[in-house]
Amino acid sequence: MSLFSRLFRKVPSPSPASAPARRSALPQEAPQAPSRPGAAERALAADAEQRALQSAIDARDVQAVARLVVEGSSTKIRQAAAEAIEDLDVLRQLIRDVRGGNDKSVYRILTSKRDALHEQARKREQLQAEITDVSGALERWSQRPYDALSGPRLDDLEGRWQAVAGQADPELRERVQLWIGRSRETIAEHSRQEEAQAALAQAAADAAAEARRLREEQAQASAAAAAEQARVLQEQKRLRAEQQQAEQQAIRQIDELIRKARTALGGGGSSRAAGLRRLIEEKLAGAAPLPASLASQIQQLDKQLNELKDWKSFSVAPKRAELTEEMESLIGAALDPQALADRIRGLQEEWRSLSKGAGENTEADWQRFQEAAQKAYQPCKEYFAAQALVREENLRRRDALLARLTAFEAECNWEQPDWQAVIRTLRETKQEWRNCSPVDRQAGRQQEKGFAALGASIQGRVDAEYARNLKQKESLIERARLLAASEDGRKAIEEIKELQQKWRVVGPVPREADQRLWGQFRQHCDTVFQKRDKEFADYAASLDSNKAQAIALCEQIEQIAALEGAELLARAGALAELRNAFDAIGEFPRADSRGLRNRLEQGLERCRKSIARQQARDAERRWADLFDAADQVRAYRLAAARGLDAEQLDTLKAAAEAHIASVPRWPKGGLEALRQGLAGERFSDLAANEASLRMLCIRAEILADMPTPPEDQALRREYQLQRLVQSMGQGPRADEMPLDAMAIEWAGAGPVEDGVYAPLLERFRRCRERGSSRGA
């Protein structure tokens, strides 16, 4: 049996021991325990819990909804709460919390939602990868010159894009349409050039024929031809000058548009800047190639414009739209008017905070938001008007209560009153008075004074009766005290029973004093029966001692579960001893037995989870140490490839060796890979090393089902095609290398430049994190 099996095995339920039944000789005079709630109370509790769930859902309080998934009083509440959870991390935690429990339906709902979210995420990733792949291909194709495949390839890419365009970002759709237009324009331009070349060829042929005819002309036409040629040359020179002037004018206009667009961006006007950018694009269509500085300015302008659009798209504008939609959703919402008014004020505060510093005019959005707020607030106006009517009605009800209590005092026979009826009437009237609220403070002040004076008068009579009854009960307590000291046990028991009968007929006393006096009286009565109860008391004391020992052991286990690091693993060995000590204790009080054993099992389960988490953290730390050490080895080998002097190489190698020596544990095969890297050849092919690392990243991304950056998409497709060809006719592939083995291969790879290594390492580590999370 493994260590965990011994530590966390189930404890068999103890056989019920026959305890001596305690037969009390005392009548049940103490206040009765509250009865179990009836169907009405349970229905009210369920309704309150349903409202709490709906409130938590409306408020988007994920933690409150999650608590109801675990702690809901009914399966219906737990299932409804589980259906409302949409956060993937919360779903995972709840699945761990309810796994192994009795409510299988909640577990199925949670796992189904988790699987559905995973499937949605996978489809989104595939869709995004296709969008990225197709848009990137269209962008690259728009920059290529014309060739024979331009038309068919563009049609194919455009067809793929149309299949996913509806799910793409609007801004990306605009850019893609621009790229498609550019590609179409390139094809059209090629057609125009061909037509122009054909026209030129035809013109050349016509010119040759004309030249032959001219040579056959008489000599007198030579002078005229020369003059005409001079005129044509002059005209061509003039046209070239005009063309150059037009190109310079276009460049100046483009420069001015760039300046205006930057000014608009500085003021937050992304729409104006985008319009100016479109004008620039129109100017570029007919302009000559731009100077490098001007082209650089356009690229910088595009970057700034995209950043501003992204910020507005993903920050201010969506938030304003979200606030407006949420305000419109409150129109006709079935909410408490006070809560509705508070929510409307909260949304208005959020809008004012969001609008501070906005660069664009939001008047239209504000008008829509404000109109929605006014419509949503209409029920609140009606509610507050109704509340005023309620306050007036409460004033009238209080007048009626005051008159009724005045009549009761006048009609009551205070010589022989029914004190229970008096006390009940006074208590109920006070409760009704409190229920008649709210009222207008100024109007109800005189009522309060009259009611307080009348209540004090009746309470004075009740207090006098209380005092008389207290003296009687104190006398009975003194007689019971004397009987507790009596040596004649049989006679004492008989007289105690008589005293209990007398205690029963004494009139009312204040509840607190009654409980105190009853405790004293009961104590003396218990003393009389102490001989008979001694054996049972000793037995109960032993159970309490066992309970204290069990609690102490559970606390020790819970303390171990709260530890971390090496201390947790070191103290884990004591868990078996603590478990055995708990099993050896014996019996517990029946009411606490199940709870103590459940606490033990829960503590041991927490320890198991803590140990597993710590072991996982230690394992991940070893992989992080491996990547850090591999980076230092790479720095040493890169320096060697660059031909640095021996002193610098020795310093880098010593640093790498010191780092390797400082790590106590490595993943399997990691240390050998690092040592082989340090002992490898001093010069390496950096390009080949880079290609090797890129291929490792692509293999890891395929294994982790993650997208590859656009610049490596072609390499990924080529690799997948090679694998497909190699595996044809061989059945399922068995050569899939796990991510851990790829990490060892990474540690032993040759050096590359720092600027290349960092992004590749980040890609590879994201794949490892994705693989670890999917494995979890």
Side-chain angles (χ1 to χ4, degrees):
M1 183 181 292
S2 65
L3 173 62
F4 283 118
S5 298
R6 293 197 301 272
L7 293 182
F8 302 104
R9 69 183 187 273
K10 294 293 183 179
V11 179
S13 301
S15 59
S18 58
R22 182 179 185 182
R23 180 177 58 85
S24 174
L26 299 176
Q28 299 299 319
E29 292 295 331
Q32 295 294 324
S35 61
R36 295 181 60 184
E41 288 81 0
R42 289 196 299 272
L44 288 175
D47 184 65
E49 196 169 30
Q50 182 66 38
R51 289 196 301 272
L53 172 59
Q54 188 59 47
S55 299
I57 294 173
D58 294 340
R60 299 181 181 176
D61 188 350
V62 178
Q63 296 302 323
V65 178
R67 283 195 298 272
L68 288 173
V69 173
V70 179
E71 302 174 1
S73 61
S74 68
T75 300
K76 180 179 178 182
I77 289 295
R78 294 193 295 273
Q79 290 177 347
E83 291 286 358
I85 297 295
E86 297 294 339
D87 187 278
L88 185 57
D89 293 333
V90 176
L91 282 172
R92 288 170 177 162
Q93 182 60 44
L94 288 174
I95 288 171
R96 289 193 289 270
D97 291 342
V98 305
R99 182 182 290 125
N102 294 328
D103 202 341
K104 302 300 183 183
S105 60
V106 172
Y107 180 82
R108 286 194 296 270
I109 291 172
L110 293 173
T111 54
S112 297
K113 292 182 73 64
R114 178 202 61 190
D115 295 341
L117 289 176
H118 279 163
E119 181 63 19
Q120 291 174 7
R122 186 186 66 79
K123 290 182 178 178
R124 284 196 300 270
E125 289 176 358
Q126 291 178 345
L127 177 62
Q128 188 59 44
E130 176 66 9
I131 290 173
T132 302
D133 188 15
V134 177
S135 61
L138 285 169
E139 180 182 14
R140 292 191 298 274
W141 203 261
S142 69
Q143 299 168 357
R144 292 184 54 178
Y146 177 85
D147 58 29
L149 296 177
S150 294
R153 179 58 175 161
L154 181 60
D155 292 339
D156 177 61
L157 290 175
E158 189 172 4
R160 290 175 58 191
W161 171 253
Q162 294 301 329
V164 298
Q167 304 299 323
D169 182 79
E171 184 179 353
L172 178 60
R173 290 201 296 269
E174 290 183 8
R175 294 202 301 271
V176 169
Q177 290 303 321
L178 179 61
W179 297 332
I180 293 173
R182 288 180 182 174
S183 299
R184 293 295 182 193
E185 181 61 27
T186 299
I187 297 173
E189 180 63 24
H190 177 74
S191 299
R192 288 193 295 270
Q193 290 177 0
E194 287 184 340
E195 293 174 358
Q197 289 175 359
L200 289 175
Q202 183 62 39
D206 295 341
E210 182 66 19
R212 288 192 300 271
R213 188 184 64 81
L214 290 175
R215 283 193 300 271
E216 297 172 354
E217 289 285 344
Q218 297 180 358
Q220 63 270 20
S222 298
E228 181 64 16
Q229 185 178 7
R231 187 189 66 78
V232 170
L233 291 175
Q234 185 64 28
E235 182 66 14
Q236 291 177 349
K237 182 177 180 181
R238 183 183 64 80
L239 291 175
R240 283 196 298 270
E242 290 178 355
Q243 183 179 2
Q244 291 176 356
Q245 183 178 3
E247 290 175 353
Q248 293 175 359
Q249 178 66 18
I251 290 175
R252 286 194 297 271
Q253 290 176 352
I254 291 173
D255 183 72
E256 179 64 18
L257 289 174
I258 291 174
R259 184 186 63 77
K260 291 181 178 180
R262 285 182 172 175
T263 302
L265 285 176
S270 60
S271 299
R272 174 168 171 75
L276 292 171
R277 179 62 181 88
R278 287 191 292 272
L279 290 177
I280 292 172
E281 191 63 32
E282 293 175 1
K283 296 291 183 182
L284 289 174
L290 297 179
S293 60
L294 203 59
S296 176
Q297 292 180 29
I298 292 177
Q299 292 178 356
Q300 184 65 25
L301 174 63
D302 289 342
K303 180 179 179 182
Q304 293 175 353
L305 180 58
N306 290 335
E307 290 175 352
L308 182 58
K309 284 182 177 180
D310 289 343
W311 180 83
K312 288 190 174 183
S313 297
F314 296 100
S315 177
V316 177
K319 184 60 179 177
R320 283 202 301 263
E322 180 183 341
L323 291 177
T324 302
E325 291 174 0
E326 187 170 355
M327 181 65 78
E328 290 174 344
S329 69
L330 294 179
I331 299 174
L335 293 178
D336 178 74
Q338 186 62 52
L340 178 60
D342 293 342
R343 184 57 188 150
I344 292 172
R345 284 193 292 272
L347 292 176
Q348 290 172 334
E349 289 295 329
E350 289 187 47
W351 181 280
R352 284 191 285 271
S353 300
L354 186 65
S355 298
K356 293 180 180 178
E360 292 190 345
N361 186 7
T362 61
E363 182 63 26
D365 293 342
W366 166 249
Q367 288 295 335
R368 177 185 170 190
F369 178 81
Q370 188 64 12
E371 290 176 3
Q374 293 174 356
K375 292 179 181 179
Y377 190 74
Q378 187 61 35
C380 301
K381 290 182 179 179
E382 299 171 358
Y383 168 76
F384 293 135
Q387 285 295 100
L389 297 177
V390 169
R391 287 192 291 271
E392 293 179 3
E393 177 63 21
N394 287 336
L395 282 174
R396 290 192 291 270
R397 291 173 60 194
R398 284 191 172 187
D399 285 337
L401 281 174
L402 186 58
R404 192 174 70 190
L405 188 60
T406 302
F408 176 81
E409 184 187 31
E411 296 171 0
C412 182
N413 180 12
W414 294 109
E415 296 297 328
Q416 294 180 340
D418 182 354
W419 289 111
Q420 293 295 340
V422 172
I423 295 171
R424 182 174 60 256
T425 299
L426 185 60
R427 181 178 65 250
E428 292 176 352
T429 305
K430 288 181 178 180
Q431 182 61 42
E432 289 184 47
W433 184 272
R434 287 190 293 270
N435 291 338
C436 294
S437 62
V439 296
D440 290 333
R441 185 175 300 177
Q442 186 66 28
R445 189 170 298 170
Q446 190 62 33
Q447 282 182 334
E448 288 283 353
K449 291 181 180 180
F451 185 80
L454 182 58
S457 173
I458 298 175
Q459 187 64 48
R461 299 175 185 270
V462 174
D463 291 341
E465 176 65 15
Y466 282 162
R468 289 190 294 271
N469 296 333
L470 282 173
K471 289 182 179 179
Q472 293 184 42
K473 290 197 172 184
E474 287 172 352
S475 175
L476 293 175
I477 290 172
E478 178 61 23
R479 291 176 59 186
R481 185 184 66 80
L482 296 176
L483 290 175
S486 174
E487 295 295 333
D488 189 348
R490 184 183 298 274
K491 182 178 179 181
I493 288 175
E494 294 298 327
E495 292 187 12
I496 279 292
K497 292 180 180 180
E498 293 179 3
L499 293 180
Q500 290 172 347
Q501 295 296 330
K502 293 179 180 179
W503 183 280
R504 188 178 291 114
V505 298
V506 175
V509 295
R511 181 179 180 81
E512 183 178 353
D514 189 34
Q515 292 178 345
R516 175 177 55 81
L517 295 175
W518 169 254
Q520 296 175 9
F521 182 70
R522 180 65 178 271
Q523 180 181 3
H524 296 317
C525 293
D526 289 343
T527 302
V528 174
F529 297 103
Q530 65 183 352
K531 293 181 180 179
R532 186 188 63 181
D533 295 339
K534 186 176 184 306
E535 181 180 354
F536 179 80
D538 292 342
Y539 174 73
S542 67
L543 294 181
D544 290 338
S545 176
N546 293 345
K547 174 183 175 181
Q549 295 179 46
I551 291 175
L553 291 173
C554 290
E555 289 174 348
Q556 293 183 50
I557 293 173
E558 290 164 353
Q559 291 172 0
I560 294 175
L563 297 176
E564 293 182 354
E567 186 177 2
L568 169 63
L569 299 178
R571 293 192 60 185
L575 291 174
E577 182 180 348
L578 294 174
R579 175 63 178 270
N580 293 333
F582 185 95
D583 292 340
I585 290 176
E587 295 184 70
F588 303 117
R590 179 175 300 177
D592 300 318
S593 179
R594 181 182 296 274
L596 290 172
R597 297 188 184 279
N598 288 341
R599 182 175 177 181
L600 172 72
E601 294 299 332
Q602 291 171 1
L604 291 174
E605 178 65 14
R606 287 178 54 195
C607 288
R608 184 190 66 77
K609 291 181 179 179
S610 297
I611 293 169
R613 285 194 298 270
Q614 185 60 44
Q615 291 173 342
R617 285 195 294 268
D618 291 345
E620 191 58 33
R621 178 69 261 172
R622 289 195 289 272
W623 287 109
D625 291 338
L626 178 66
F627 285 119
D628 293 343
D631 193 20
Q632 295 199 19
V633 172
R634 180 195 62 83
Y636 161 69
R637 296 188 65 185
L638 181 61
R642 289 173 174 171
L644 299 185
D645 57 63
E647 183 179 355
Q648 291 176 311
L649 291 177
D650 292 342
T651 301
L652 291 173
K653 185 174 183 180
E657 291 175 340
H659 181 77
I660 293 173
S662 66
V663 176
R665 294 186 64 185
W666 296 97
K668 184 178 180 180
L671 182 58
E672 291 76 4
L674 294 173
R675 287 174 175 172
Q676 290 175 5
L678 280 177
E681 60 183 15
R682 298 174 64 85
F683 299 96
S684 301
D685 185 349
L686 300 186
N689 296 338
E690 179 182 348
S692 177
L693 292 182
R694 285 189 184 278
M695 186 54 64
L696 274 176
C697 288
I698 290 172
R699 291 163 58 193
E701 286 162 352
I702 292 173
L703 188 59
D705 195 17
M706 291 185 65
T708 297
E711 62 269 16
D712 286 343
Q713 283 285 351
L715 188 59
R716 174 171 175 164
R717 288 194 295 271
E718 181 181 352
Y719 172 73
Q720 289 176 315
L721 182 59
Q722 291 176 356
R723 287 203 313 168
L724 179 62
V725 172
Q726 292 171 0
S727 63
M728 283 184 178
Q730 299 179 9
R733 294 188 299 273
D735 58 346
E736 294 280 5
M737 180 179 291
L739 287 171
D740 289 350
M742 290 184 187
I744 299 299
E745 184 177 344
W746 183 283
V752 296
E753 296 290 348
D754 295 343
V756 174
Y757 184 76
L760 291 177
L761 178 60
E762 179 64 21
R763 283 172 59 185
F764 187 77
R765 297 187 77 162
R766 283 200 302 268
C767 294
R768 278 190 49 78
E769 293 172 0
R770 173 68 174 275
S772 299
S773 64
R774 291 174 64 182

